[in-house]
Amino acid sequence: MKLGIRGRHMVLTATLLAHVERRLRFALSRFEQKIRQIAVQVTDLNGPRGGFEKQCRVTVTLSPSGKVIVGATDADLHTAIDRAADRLERSVTRELRRRRET
């Protein structure tokens, strides 16, 4: 399972990278065999103007095919990451359950 993290209009600190990796690995560890790649994009929606809106968008590529995309926006980036990880866990569970049923 490959994990890629990008930041737009913000600096990615070591603490932030560790938080993203820890939360996503915890949320998705039971699906590790079925996930090929995880791409995370954290964005300061207001850019250099300042402001409080931060967004975390996560795309999971499943094996052998398929994608699950979730996002969360909050004033606190850590909260947005946590919400996105929770949504991602539910969405991946739902997608894999659909695949099993067909």
Side-chain angles (χ1 to χ4, degrees), residues 50-82:
F52 299 109
E53 294 292 294
K54 310 287 191 270
Q55 181 183 50
C56 178
R57 183 179 171 102
V58 185
T59 304
V60 172
T61 305
L62 299 172
S63 181
S65 65
K67 285 189 178 184
V68 176
I69 301 171
V70 297
T73 304
D74 198 273
D76 179 46
L77 184 57
H78 286 81
T79 304
I81 292 166
D82 293 343

PDB file of all heavy atoms in Angstrom, residues 50-82:
ATOM      1  N   GLY A  50      -4.920  34.014   3.793  1.00  0.00           N
ATOM      2  CA  GLY A  50      -5.218  33.723   5.190  1.00  0.00           C
ATOM      3  C   GLY A  50      -6.629  33.206   5.310  1.00  0.00           C
ATOM      4  O   GLY A  50      -7.331  33.031   4.333  1.00  0.00           O
ATOM      5  N   GLY A  51      -7.043  32.932   6.502  1.00  0.00           N
ATOM      6  CA  GLY A  51      -8.378  32.389   6.713  1.00  0.00           C
ATOM      7  C   GLY A  51      -8.294  31.053   7.402  1.00  0.00           C
ATOM      8  O   GLY A  51      -7.217  30.566   7.739  1.00  0.00           O
ATOM      9  N   PHE A  52      -9.449  30.441   7.583  1.00  0.00           N
ATOM     10  CA  PHE A  52      -9.492  29.277   8.451  1.00  0.00           C
ATOM     11  C   PHE A  52      -9.906  27.982   7.772  1.00  0.00           C
ATOM     12  O   PHE A  52      -9.932  26.953   8.416  1.00  0.00           O
ATOM     13  CB  PHE A  52     -10.444  29.552   9.618  1.00  0.00           C
ATOM     14  CG  PHE A  52     -10.001  30.715  10.448  1.00  0.00           C
ATOM     15  CD1 PHE A  52     -10.703  31.904  10.419  1.00  0.00           C
ATOM     16  CD2 PHE A  52      -8.873  30.635  11.231  1.00  0.00           C
ATOM     17  CE1 PHE A  52     -10.296  32.984  11.177  1.00  0.00           C
ATOM     18  CE2 PHE A  52      -8.452  31.703  11.992  1.00  0.00           C
ATOM     19  CZ  PHE A  52      -9.163  32.885  11.964  1.00  0.00           C
ATOM     20  N   GLU A  53     -10.275  27.988   6.521  1.00  0.00           N
ATOM     21  CA  GLU A  53     -10.773  26.789   5.878  1.00  0.00           C
ATOM     22  C   GLU A  53      -9.632  25.898   5.392  1.00  0.00           C
ATOM     23  O   GLU A  53      -8.837  26.295   4.546  1.00  0.00           O
ATOM     24  CB  GLU A  53     -11.681  27.149   4.703  1.00  0.00           C
ATOM     25  CG  GLU A  53     -12.960  27.829   5.128  1.00  0.00           C
ATOM     26  CD  GLU A  53     -13.869  26.885   5.877  1.00  0.00           C
ATOM     27  OE1 GLU A  53     -14.356  25.924   5.271  1.00  0.00           O
ATOM     28  OE2 GLU A  53     -14.064  27.117   7.084  1.00  0.00           O
ATOM     29  N   LYS A  54      -9.591  24.668   5.924  1.00  0.00           N
ATOM     30  CA  LYS A  54      -8.609  23.664   5.514  1.00  0.00           C
ATOM     31  C   LYS A  54      -9.362  22.449   5.002  1.00  0.00           C
ATOM     32  O   LYS A  54     -10.415  22.095   5.516  1.00  0.00           O
ATOM     33  CB  LYS A  54      -7.722  23.241   6.689  1.00  0.00           C
ATOM     34  CG  LYS A  54      -7.109  24.379   7.479  1.00  0.00           C
ATOM     35  CD  LYS A  54      -6.019  25.052   6.711  1.00  0.00           C
ATOM     36  CE  LYS A  54      -5.236  26.008   7.582  1.00  0.00           C
ATOM     37  NZ  LYS A  54      -5.748  27.351   7.617  1.00  0.00           N
ATOM     38  N   GLN A  55      -8.819  21.809   3.972  1.00  0.00           N
ATOM     39  CA  GLN A  55      -9.483  20.667   3.378  1.00  0.00           C
ATOM     40  C   GLN A  55      -8.525  19.492   3.279  1.00  0.00           C
ATOM     41  O   GLN A  55      -7.342  19.663   2.978  1.00  0.00           O
ATOM     42  CB  GLN A  55      -9.991  21.007   1.976  1.00  0.00           C
ATOM     43  CG  GLN A  55     -10.709  19.868   1.290  1.00  0.00           C
ATOM     44  CD  GLN A  55     -11.130  20.236  -0.114  1.00  0.00           C
ATOM     45  OE1 GLN A  55     -10.312  20.740  -0.885  1.00  0.00           O
ATOM     46  NE2 GLN A  55     -12.390  20.010  -0.431  1.00  0.00           N
ATOM     47  N   CYS A  56      -9.058  18.286   3.532  1.00  0.00           N
ATOM     48  CA  CYS A  56      -8.312  17.049   3.334  1.00  0.00           C
ATOM     49  C   CYS A  56      -9.115  16.195   2.363  1.00  0.00           C
ATOM     50  O   CYS A  56     -10.287  15.919   2.594  1.00  0.00           O
ATOM     51  CB  CYS A  56      -8.131  16.310   4.661  1.00  0.00           C
ATOM     52  SG  CYS A  56      -7.266  14.736   4.473  1.00  0.00           S
ATOM     53  N   ARG A  57      -8.475  15.817   1.266  1.00  0.00           N
ATOM     54  CA  ARG A  57      -9.132  14.992   0.240  1.00  0.00           C
ATOM     55  C   ARG A  57      -8.286  13.741   0.050  1.00  0.00           C
ATOM     56  O   ARG A  57      -7.071  13.829  -0.161  1.00  0.00           O
ATOM     57  CB  ARG A  57      -9.234  15.783  -1.049  1.00  0.00           C
ATOM     58  CG  ARG A  57      -9.954  15.076  -2.152  1.00  0.00           C
ATOM     59  CD  ARG A  57     -10.007  16.000  -3.353  1.00  0.00           C
ATOM     60  NE  ARG A  57     -10.496  15.313  -4.507  1.00  0.00           N
ATOM     61  CZ  ARG A  57     -11.740  15.436  -4.957  1.00  0.00           C
ATOM     62  NH1 ARG A  57     -12.586  16.227  -4.356  1.00  0.00           N
ATOM     63  NH2 ARG A  57     -12.111  14.771  -6.025  1.00  0.00           N
ATOM     64  N   VAL A  58      -8.934  12.571   0.131  1.00  0.00           N
ATOM     65  CA  VAL A  58      -8.217  11.298   0.063  1.00  0.00           C
ATOM     66  C   VAL A  58      -8.804  10.453  -1.064  1.00  0.00           C
ATOM     67  O   VAL A  58     -10.020  10.295  -1.164  1.00  0.00           O
ATOM     68  CB  VAL A  58      -8.319  10.517   1.391  1.00  0.00           C
ATOM     69  CG1 VAL A  58      -7.467   9.254   1.335  1.00  0.00           C
ATOM     70  CG2 VAL A  58      -7.916  11.375   2.570  1.00  0.00           C
ATOM     71  N   THR A  59      -7.919   9.912  -1.896  1.00  0.00           N
ATOM     72  CA  THR A  59      -8.305   9.006  -2.975  1.00  0.00           C
ATOM     73  C   THR A  59      -7.627   7.666  -2.734  1.00  0.00           C
ATOM     74  O   THR A  59      -6.409   7.603  -2.596  1.00  0.00           O
ATOM     75  CB  THR A  59      -7.870   9.556  -4.348  1.00  0.00           C
ATOM     76  OG1 THR A  59      -8.423  10.860  -4.526  1.00  0.00           O
ATOM     77  CG2 THR A  59      -8.325   8.646  -5.472  1.00  0.00           C
ATOM     78  N   VAL A  60      -8.437   6.609  -2.668  1.00  0.00           N
ATOM     79  CA  VAL A  60      -7.916   5.256  -2.477  1.00  0.00           C
ATOM     80  C   VAL A  60      -8.147   4.477  -3.764  1.00  0.00           C
ATOM     81  O   VAL A  60      -9.269   4.426  -4.267  1.00  0.00           O
ATOM     82  CB  VAL A  60      -8.612   4.545  -1.301  1.00  0.00           C
ATOM     83  CG1 VAL A  60      -8.215   3.084  -1.227  1.00  0.00           C
ATOM     84  CG2 VAL A  60      -8.284   5.238  -0.001  1.00  0.00           C
ATOM     85  N   THR A  61      -7.083   3.884  -4.287  1.00  0.00           N
ATOM     86  CA  THR A  61      -7.179   3.028  -5.458  1.00  0.00           C
ATOM     87  C   THR A  61      -7.204   1.588  -4.974  1.00  0.00           C
ATOM     88  O   THR A  61      -6.276   1.144  -4.300  1.00  0.00           O
ATOM     89  CB  THR A  61      -5.986   3.250  -6.407  1.00  0.00           C
ATOM     90  OG1 THR A  61      -5.909   4.636  -6.736  1.00  0.00           O
ATOM     91  CG2 THR A  61      -6.143   2.425  -7.672  1.00  0.00           C
ATOM     92  N   LEU A  62      -8.289   0.895  -5.305  1.00  0.00           N
ATOM     93  CA  LEU A  62      -8.469  -0.476  -4.851  1.00  0.00           C
ATOM     94  C   LEU A  62      -7.893  -1.461  -5.866  1.00  0.00           C
ATOM     95  O   LEU A  62      -7.760  -1.146  -7.048  1.00  0.00           O
ATOM     96  CB  LEU A  62      -9.955  -0.761  -4.639  1.00  0.00           C
ATOM     97  CG  LEU A  62     -10.641   0.103  -3.595  1.00  0.00           C
ATOM     98  CD1 LEU A  62     -12.146  -0.136  -3.623  1.00  0.00           C
ATOM     99  CD2 LEU A  62     -10.081  -0.188  -2.214  1.00  0.00           C
ATOM    100  N   SER A  63      -7.583  -2.631  -5.380  1.00  0.00           N
ATOM    101  CA  SER A  63      -7.066  -3.682  -6.239  1.00  0.00           C
ATOM    102  C   SER A  63      -8.183  -4.678  -6.499  1.00  0.00           C
ATOM    103  O   SER A  63      -8.880  -5.048  -5.564  1.00  0.00           O
ATOM    104  CB  SER A  63      -5.888  -4.360  -5.543  1.00  0.00           C
ATOM    105  OG  SER A  63      -5.349  -5.355  -6.339  1.00  0.00           O
ATOM    106  N   PRO A  64      -8.468  -5.117  -7.675  1.00  0.00           N
ATOM    107  CA  PRO A  64      -7.763  -4.900  -8.918  1.00  0.00           C
ATOM    108  C   PRO A  64      -8.160  -3.602  -9.614  1.00  0.00           C
ATOM    109  O   PRO A  64      -7.422  -3.112 -10.462  1.00  0.00           O
ATOM    110  CB  PRO A  64      -8.168  -6.100  -9.766  1.00  0.00           C
ATOM    111  CG  PRO A  64      -9.526  -6.445  -9.299  1.00  0.00           C
ATOM    112  CD  PRO A  64      -9.532  -6.113  -7.830  1.00  0.00           C
ATOM    113  N   SER A  65      -9.338  -3.026  -9.297  1.00  0.00           N
ATOM    114  CA  SER A  65      -9.723  -1.758  -9.909  1.00  0.00           C
ATOM    115  C   SER A  65     -10.726  -1.055  -9.019  1.00  0.00           C
ATOM    116  O   SER A  65     -11.322  -1.653  -8.132  1.00  0.00           O
ATOM    117  CB  SER A  65     -10.330  -1.989 -11.294  1.00  0.00           C
ATOM    118  OG  SER A  65     -11.542  -2.698 -11.160  1.00  0.00           O
ATOM    119  N   GLY A  66     -10.906   0.231  -9.287  1.00  0.00           N
ATOM    120  CA  GLY A  66     -11.878   1.026  -8.553  1.00  0.00           C
ATOM    121  C   GLY A  66     -11.215   2.074  -7.690  1.00  0.00           C
ATOM    122  O   GLY A  66     -10.049   1.934  -7.308  1.00  0.00           O
ATOM    123  N   LYS A  67     -11.982   3.115  -7.397  1.00  0.00           N
ATOM    124  CA  LYS A  67     -11.487   4.211  -6.565  1.00  0.00           C
ATOM    125  C   LYS A  67     -12.558   4.625  -5.581  1.00  0.00           C
ATOM    126  O   LYS A  67     -13.752   4.553  -5.879  1.00  0.00           O
ATOM    127  CB  LYS A  67     -11.120   5.428  -7.410  1.00  0.00           C
ATOM    128  CG  LYS A  67      -9.843   5.300  -8.159  1.00  0.00           C
ATOM    129  CD  LYS A  67      -9.455   6.604  -8.792  1.00  0.00           C
ATOM    130  CE  LYS A  67      -8.124   6.433  -9.515  1.00  0.00           C
ATOM    131  NZ  LYS A  67      -7.650   7.677 -10.057  1.00  0.00           N
ATOM    132  N   VAL A  68     -12.103   5.085  -4.426  1.00  0.00           N
ATOM    133  CA  VAL A  68     -12.973   5.679  -3.419  1.00  0.00           C
ATOM    134  C   VAL A  68     -12.373   7.038  -3.102  1.00  0.00           C
ATOM    135  O   VAL A  68     -11.184   7.139  -2.786  1.00  0.00           O
ATOM    136  CB  VAL A  68     -13.049   4.810  -2.140  1.00  0.00           C
ATOM    137  CG1 VAL A  68     -13.867   5.495  -1.081  1.00  0.00           C
ATOM    138  CG2 VAL A  68     -13.615   3.439  -2.461  1.00  0.00           C
ATOM    139  N   ILE A  69     -13.193   8.093  -3.189  1.00  0.00           N
ATOM    140  CA  ILE A  69     -12.718   9.456  -2.939  1.00  0.00           C
ATOM    141  C   ILE A  69     -13.595  10.082  -1.861  1.00  0.00           C
ATOM    142  O   ILE A  69     -14.821  10.050  -1.955  1.00  0.00           O
ATOM    143  CB  ILE A  69     -12.797  10.309  -4.222  1.00  0.00           C
ATOM    144  CG1 ILE A  69     -11.963   9.673  -5.327  1.00  0.00           C
ATOM    145  CG2 ILE A  69     -12.331  11.734  -3.944  1.00  0.00           C
ATOM    146  CD1 ILE A  69     -12.149  10.307  -6.682  1.00  0.00           C
ATOM    147  N   VAL A  70     -12.945  10.616  -0.826  1.00  0.00           N
ATOM    148  CA  VAL A  70     -13.670  11.317   0.241  1.00  0.00           C
ATOM    149  C   VAL A  70     -12.938  12.616   0.555  1.00  0.00           C
ATOM    150  O   VAL A  70     -11.757  12.766   0.244  1.00  0.00           O
ATOM    151  CB  VAL A  70     -13.802  10.472   1.533  1.00  0.00           C
ATOM    152  CG1 VAL A  70     -14.600   9.217   1.281  1.00  0.00           C
ATOM    153  CG2 VAL A  70     -12.454  10.153   2.114  1.00  0.00           C
ATOM    154  N   GLY A  71     -13.640  13.519   1.204  1.00  0.00           N
ATOM    155  CA  GLY A  71     -13.040  14.780   1.600  1.00  0.00           C
ATOM    156  C   GLY A  71     -13.715  15.332   2.831  1.00  0.00           C
ATOM    157  O   GLY A  71     -14.841  14.948   3.169  1.00  0.00           O
ATOM    158  N   ALA A  72     -13.014  16.208   3.517  1.00  0.00           N
ATOM    159  CA  ALA A  72     -13.567  16.879   4.689  1.00  0.00           C
ATOM    160  C   ALA A  72     -12.938  18.259   4.784  1.00  0.00           C
ATOM    161  O   ALA A  72     -11.766  18.451   4.454  1.00  0.00           O
ATOM    162  CB  ALA A  72     -13.286  16.082   5.949  1.00  0.00           C
ATOM    163  N   THR A  73     -13.744  19.217   5.249  1.00  0.00           N
ATOM    164  CA  THR A  73     -13.293  20.596   5.404  1.00  0.00           C
ATOM    165  C   THR A  73     -13.591  21.048   6.819  1.00  0.00           C
ATOM    166  O   THR A  73     -14.659  20.769   7.357  1.00  0.00           O
ATOM    167  CB  THR A  73     -14.028  21.508   4.402  1.00  0.00           C
ATOM    168  OG1 THR A  73     -13.809  21.009   3.086  1.00  0.00           O
ATOM    169  CG2 THR A  73     -13.529  22.939   4.488  1.00  0.00           C
ATOM    170  N   ASP A  74     -12.627  21.759   7.424  1.00  0.00           N
ATOM    171  CA  ASP A  74     -12.809  22.252   8.784  1.00  0.00           C
ATOM    172  C   ASP A  74     -11.835  23.409   8.997  1.00  0.00           C
ATOM    173  O   ASP A  74     -10.898  23.603   8.224  1.00  0.00           O
ATOM    174  CB  ASP A  74     -12.530  21.137   9.794  1.00  0.00           C
ATOM    175  CG  ASP A  74     -13.103  21.436  11.156  1.00  0.00           C
ATOM    176  OD1 ASP A  74     -12.414  22.090  11.964  1.00  0.00           O
ATOM    177  OD2 ASP A  74     -14.250  21.034  11.401  1.00  0.00           O
ATOM    178  N   ALA A  75     -12.044  24.152  10.072  1.00  0.00           N
ATOM    179  CA  ALA A  75     -11.119  25.233  10.410  1.00  0.00           C
ATOM    180  C   ALA A  75      -9.792  24.674  10.907  1.00  0.00           C
ATOM    181  O   ALA A  75      -8.743  25.273  10.702  1.00  0.00           O
ATOM    182  CB  ALA A  75     -11.741  26.141  11.469  1.00  0.00           C
ATOM    183  N   ASP A  76      -9.835  23.499  11.541  1.00  0.00           N
ATOM    184  CA  ASP A  76      -8.629  22.850  12.051  1.00  0.00           C
ATOM    185  C   ASP A  76      -8.247  21.716  11.098  1.00  0.00           C
ATOM    186  O   ASP A  76      -9.069  20.836  10.815  1.00  0.00           O
ATOM    187  CB  ASP A  76      -8.887  22.304  13.458  1.00  0.00           C
ATOM    188  CG  ASP A  76      -7.675  21.588  14.023  1.00  0.00           C
ATOM    189  OD1 ASP A  76      -6.565  22.129  13.912  1.00  0.00           O
ATOM    190  OD2 ASP A  76      -7.847  20.480  14.567  1.00  0.00           O
ATOM    191  N   LEU A  77      -7.024  21.714  10.610  1.00  0.00           N
ATOM    192  CA  LEU A  77      -6.588  20.712   9.648  1.00  0.00           C
ATOM    193  C   LEU A  77      -6.598  19.315  10.239  1.00  0.00           C
ATOM    194  O   LEU A  77      -6.981  18.355   9.574  1.00  0.00           O
ATOM    195  CB  LEU A  77      -5.202  21.062   9.104  1.00  0.00           C
ATOM    196  CG  LEU A  77      -4.669  20.139   8.014  1.00  0.00           C
ATOM    197  CD1 LEU A  77      -5.634  20.088   6.828  1.00  0.00           C
ATOM    198  CD2 LEU A  77      -3.307  20.603   7.556  1.00  0.00           C
ATOM    199  N   HIS A  78      -6.203  19.166  11.494  1.00  0.00           N
ATOM    200  CA  HIS A  78      -6.196  17.842  12.123  1.00  0.00           C
ATOM    201  C   HIS A  78      -7.609  17.266  12.210  1.00  0.00           C
ATOM    202  O   HIS A  78      -7.815  16.072  11.997  1.00  0.00           O
ATOM    203  CB  HIS A  78      -5.541  17.904  13.500  1.00  0.00           C
ATOM    204  CG  HIS A  78      -4.056  18.040  13.428  1.00  0.00           C
ATOM    205  ND1 HIS A  78      -3.448  19.254  13.213  1.00  0.00           N
ATOM    206  CD2 HIS A  78      -3.063  17.131  13.527  1.00  0.00           C
ATOM    207  CE1 HIS A  78      -2.137  19.077  13.188  1.00  0.00           C
ATOM    208  NE2 HIS A  78      -1.883  17.784  13.379  1.00  0.00           N
ATOM    209  N   THR A  79      -8.591  18.107  12.489  1.00  0.00           N
ATOM    210  CA  THR A  79      -9.978  17.655  12.530  1.00  0.00           C
ATOM    211  C   THR A  79     -10.449  17.236  11.145  1.00  0.00           C
ATOM    212  O   THR A  79     -11.136  16.222  10.998  1.00  0.00           O
ATOM    213  CB  THR A  79     -10.887  18.768  13.086  1.00  0.00           C
ATOM    214  OG1 THR A  79     -10.409  19.161  14.365  1.00  0.00           O
ATOM    215  CG2 THR A  79     -12.326  18.305  13.195  1.00  0.00           C
ATOM    216  N   ALA A  80     -10.077  17.987  10.122  1.00  0.00           N
ATOM    217  CA  ALA A  80     -10.438  17.621   8.750  1.00  0.00           C
ATOM    218  C   ALA A  80      -9.823  16.277   8.368  1.00  0.00           C
ATOM    219  O   ALA A  80     -10.478  15.442   7.731  1.00  0.00           O
ATOM    220  CB  ALA A  80      -9.996  18.712   7.777  1.00  0.00           C
ATOM    221  N   ILE A  81      -8.596  16.037   8.761  1.00  0.00           N
ATOM    222  CA  ILE A  81      -7.927  14.763   8.483  1.00  0.00           C
ATOM    223  C   ILE A  81      -8.642  13.622   9.200  1.00  0.00           C
ATOM    224  O   ILE A  81      -8.891  12.560   8.612  1.00  0.00           O
ATOM    225  CB  ILE A  81      -6.448  14.839   8.888  1.00  0.00           C
ATOM    226  CG1 ILE A  81      -5.698  15.797   7.966  1.00  0.00           C
ATOM    227  CG2 ILE A  81      -5.802  13.455   8.873  1.00  0.00           C
ATOM    228  CD1 ILE A  81      -4.332  16.214   8.466  1.00  0.00           C
ATOM    229  N   ASP A  82      -8.993  13.834  10.460  1.00  0.00           N
ATOM    230  CA  ASP A  82      -9.684  12.799  11.228  1.00  0.00           C
ATOM    231  C   ASP A  82     -11.041  12.468  10.612  1.00  0.00           C
ATOM    232  O   ASP A  82     -11.413  11.300  10.492  1.00  0.00           O
ATOM    233  CB  ASP A  82      -9.863  13.234  12.682  1.00  0.00           C
ATOM    234  CG  ASP A  82      -8.545  13.343  13.423  1.00  0.00           C
ATOM    235  OD1 ASP A  82      -7.530  12.795  12.934  1.00  0.00           O
ATOM    236  OD2 ASP A  82      -8.525  13.962  14.498  1.00  0.00           O
TER     237      ASP A  82
END
